[in-house]
Amino acid sequence: MTKAIKLLTALPQRQRERLMELAKEVSFPEDTRIFEAGGTADRFWVIRSGAVNLDQQVTSTQRVTVATLGAGDMLGWSWLFPPYEWDFGAVAFSQVRAYEFDGAAVLGLCVEDPLLGLSLVRTVAEVLAHRLEMTRSKLMDQYTMRRRGGL
């Protein structure tokens, strides 16, 4: 399994400093829905403290948590890819403090600084690969439990 990648520590110092010039400090109270699958994705966050559950609506009344993110984790990648809609939902599991980044401003910075853009896209790709493996593992666990009659 790939290891969890922390966006801000993965970027070289100069690129991290440039990105952080765009950061805005935000907070979300516990149980706040940060975004919903299908909504417009125009920003992302790096969690400073607290926890966020990524979820997927599987029926009209049931959501499944596919990942729990914590300090240092990047929340949201859909701002980077058309059609710029969230693939999952996200809810604050506890009080969350985060750095928020406007997607358009970050993309503008990437055009200005192609090395930063390349580093950012590579890091996001690593985050995606790790999350895909985590989701696959969680789904396999649920499938195995169902086959055994555990769900």
Side-chain angles (χ1 to χ4, degrees), residues 59-127:
T59 68
S60 62
T61 59
Q62 183 185 14
R63 291 181 189 272
V64 173
T65 297
V66 296
T68 300
L69 308 179
D73 288 330
M74 178 183 183
L75 171 62
W77 61 71
S78 299
W79 61 276
L80 192 54
F81 307 104
Y84 309 107
E85 293 177 353
W86 300 117
D87 290 315
F88 298 98
V91 65
F93 182 73
S94 63
Q95 171 75 27
V96 172
R97 293 178 47 218
Y99 293 119
E100 182 178 270
F101 297 88
D102 176 88
V106 172
L107 289 173
L109 183 60
C110 291
V111 169
E112 230 179 80
D113 184 345
L115 288 177
L116 171 61
L118 180 60
S119 293
L120 184 65
V121 169
R122 281 185 172 165
T123 302
V124 171
E126 289 183 57
V127 168

